[in-house]
């Protein structure tokens, strides 16, 4: 079945698991919410108010609104208006200096994190009167006004991608196009950041599978596993889709790894940044992995299975329990 409505590249799609709705965005500057009626999926137009391409989309945890990042240097927060039977939006403008590449909702359904090609990660309040209500998870979040910037992280000197919150919302992670991944604690208060330098190619997306473990995917065509120790220090664990290295290439790999560490340390100076080893090429994906999506059962807090999709046209389902022990 084809969902035919857009007339240009579909740049983002997300599914709301509880309400069983699909939202799509496109370079044609339009967005549609698709609702299943019998065997058909019926589209409802979303009023985005964009003059540039829509680039990414994500449903909020309560599924009562969704965020759309765009090439117009803005973010549209969309919600349903019952009276007119359509989805309308309030736009966060004049905060980004370039295109918005990814968006991620905090578990409180109010805070929204974004990354941009201006290299910055930002956190905004998206509270909308009549849509959001005060709850136990909201805390002081309801004191912020819509569109108010809560934090701005200037850690990456290059494009930023793949922002995600941990399940509790205490840790924020995103990737830089300079082969860096950033983990930030206490974003709303006094942010404490950890910068982790990768030996190979940059990441495009990140997924927290638990509070102390995350998976990164990108141009290396192979998911990377990161974990935090008891002190909260994040480090690279290994590649998920590992291949055995032949003896003839082991010495070359060791030399490459040593040079990579030397390069990373000289680039980052005496900071706490660490440099991760390289990996043999090849595996389930043959081109850049652009998206990673959790596959949960019921109300599971720990992600045991997830899927990845890439520019090779493949969708791969991964079972973490067959590869590694997941810390809580």
């Amino acid at each position: 079945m084809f969902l035919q409505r857009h007339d240009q590249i579909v740049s983002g799609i997300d599914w709301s698991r509880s309400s069983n709705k699909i939202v799509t965005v496109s370079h044609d500057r339009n967005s549609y919410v698709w609702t299943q009626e019998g065997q058909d999926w019926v589209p409802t137009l979303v009023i985005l108010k964009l003059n540039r391409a829509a680039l990414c989309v994500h449903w909020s945890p309560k599924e009562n609104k969704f965020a759309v990042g765009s090439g117009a240097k803005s973010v549209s927060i969309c919600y349903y208006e019952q009276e007119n039977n359509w989805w309308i939006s309030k736009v966060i403008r004049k905060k980004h200096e370039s295109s918005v590449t990814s968006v991620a909702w905090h578990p409180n359904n109010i805070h929204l994190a974004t990354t941009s090609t201006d290299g910055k990660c930002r956190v905004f309040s998206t509270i909308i009167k009549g849509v959001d209500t005060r709850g136990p998870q909201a805390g002081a979040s309801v004191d912020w006004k819509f569109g108010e910037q809560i934090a701005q992280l200037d850690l990456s000197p290059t494009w930023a991608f793949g922002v995600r919150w941990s399940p509790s919302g205490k840790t924020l992670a995103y990737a830089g196009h300079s082969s860096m991944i950033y983990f930030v604690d206490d974003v709303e208060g006094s942010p404490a950041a950890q910068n982790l330098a990768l030996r190979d190619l940059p990441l495009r997306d990140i997924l927290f599978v638990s509070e102390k473990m995350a998976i990164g995917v990108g141009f290396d065509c192979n998911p990377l596993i990161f974990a935090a120790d008891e002190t909260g220090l994040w480090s690279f664990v290994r590649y998920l889709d590992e291949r055995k290295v032949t003896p003839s290439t082991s010495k070359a790999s060791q030399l490459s790894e040593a040079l990579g560490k030397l390069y990373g340390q000289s680039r980052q100076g005496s900071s706490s940044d660490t440099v991760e080893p390289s990996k043999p090429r090849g595996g389930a994906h043959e081109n850049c992995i652009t998206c990673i999506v959790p596959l949960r059962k019921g109300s599971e807090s720990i992600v045991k299975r997830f899927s990845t999709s890439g520019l090779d046209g493949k969708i791969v389902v991964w079972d973490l329990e067959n590869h590694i022990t997941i810390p809580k």
Side-chain angles (χ1 to χ4, degrees):
M1 177 183 292
F2 292 96
L3 305 183
Q4 297 180 341
R5 187 65 65 164
H6 294 289
D7 55 20
Q8 291 189 31
I9 293 173
V10 177
S11 50
I13 183 171
D14 197 22
W15 172 57
S16 61
R17 184 175 59 172
S18 299
S19 57
N20 193 31
K21 288 183 172 60
I22 297 173
V23 59
T24 58
V25 296
S26 168
H27 288 183
D28 61 12
R29 300 172 294 173
N30 289 324
S31 174
Y32 294 93
V33 174
W34 304 79
T35 306
Q36 189 174 22
E37 296 182 2
Q39 298 297 319
D40 299 323
W41 286 87
V42 179
T44 302
L45 179 65
V46 182
I47 310 300
L48 285 183
K49 307 173 185 177
L50 294 179
N51 58 5
R52 295 291 187 275
L55 302 178
C56 53
V57 64
H58 206 289
W59 283 101
S60 68
K62 292 183 179 179
E63 300 180 1
N64 59 346
K65 55 186 180 180
F66 57 88
V68 179
S70 72
K73 309 178 186 178
S74 64
V75 180
S76 299
I77 309 301
C78 309
Y79 58 98
Y80 186 68
E81 191 175 72
Q82 186 74 38
E83 297 176 357
N84 295 312
N85 189 30
W86 62 7
W87 291 78
I88 61 175
S89 64
K90 295 186 70 173
V91 184
I92 300 175
R93 305 181 189 273
K94 299 180 180 179
K95 302 292 185 179
H96 300 87
E97 298 172 7
S98 192
S99 299
V100 178
T101 57
S102 67
V103 293
W105 288 96
H106 189 279
N108 65 16
N109 206 68
I110 294 175
H111 291 172
L112 180 77
T114 68
T115 54
S116 171
T117 48
D118 61 13
K120 296 177 177 62
C121 177
R122 299 173 175 87
V123 179
F124 299 98
S125 168
T126 67
I127 189 166
I128 299 175
K129 186 177 180 180
V131 178
D132 296 299
T133 57
R134 182 184 294 271
Q137 276 193 308
S141 303
V142 293
D143 296 332
W144 297 94
K145 297 179 181 179
F146 176 86
E148 192 169 352
Q149 185 171 293
I150 298 170
Q152 177 173 298
L153 306 172
D154 301 336
L155 301 177
S156 176
T158 57
W159 297 348
F161 296 99
V163 66
R164 289 291 179 109
W165 295 94
S166 65
S168 69
K170 294 180 179 178
T171 303
L172 179 70
Y174 69 100
H177 206 55
S178 54
S179 290
M180 298 285 290
I181 182 172
Y182 308 95
F183 295 94
V184 186
D185 296 324
D186 194 16
V187 174
E188 188 175 345
S190 302
Q194 297 178 44
N195 306 338
L196 196 62
L198 308 177
R199 172 59 184 86
D200 286 303
L201 301 178
L203 300 177
R204 284 298 307 268
D205 203 2
I206 300 168
L207 172 67
F208 278 92
V209 296
S210 72
E211 197 65 29
K212 293 188 176 182
M213 180 172 284
I215 307 294
V217 297
F219 291 92
D220 269 327
C221 317
N222 194 340
L224 292 78
I225 303 174
F226 301 92
D229 60 19
E230 295 179 354
T231 65
L233 182 65
W234 288 86
S235 62
F236 171 79
V237 177
R238 67 178 178 88
Y239 286 88
L240 187 58
D241 193 18
E242 287 185 335
R243 291 195 313 163
K244 293 182 178 179
V245 182
T246 59
S248 60
T249 61
S250 60
K251 291 185 178 180
S253 298
Q254 291 174 4
L255 176 61
S256 174
E257 181 179 335
L259 291 174
K261 288 182 178 180
L262 177 62
Y263 169 71
Q265 289 170 0
S266 64
R267 180 175 58 177
Q268 297 300 325
S270 58
S271 70
S272 61
D273 302 351
T274 55
V275 181
E276 302 310 334
S278 95
K279 67 161 186 65
R281 303 289 178 184
H285 281 286
E286 300 173 352
N287 207 329
C288 175
I289 304 174
T290 57
C291 183
I292 179 170
V293 177
L295 301 175
R296 289 189 177 93
K297 291 182 178 179
S299 58
E300 288 181 340
S301 59
I302 295 178
V303 178
K304 300 177 181 179
R305 299 173 70 242
F306 63 87
S307 67
T308 57
S309 59
L311 298 181
D312 55 4
K314 294 181 180 179
I315 296 177
V316 180
V317 176
W318 306 83
D319 192 336
L320 273 179
E321 289 186 310
N322 295 334
H323 293 84
I324 195 170
T325 302
I326 307 173
K328 294 183 180 179

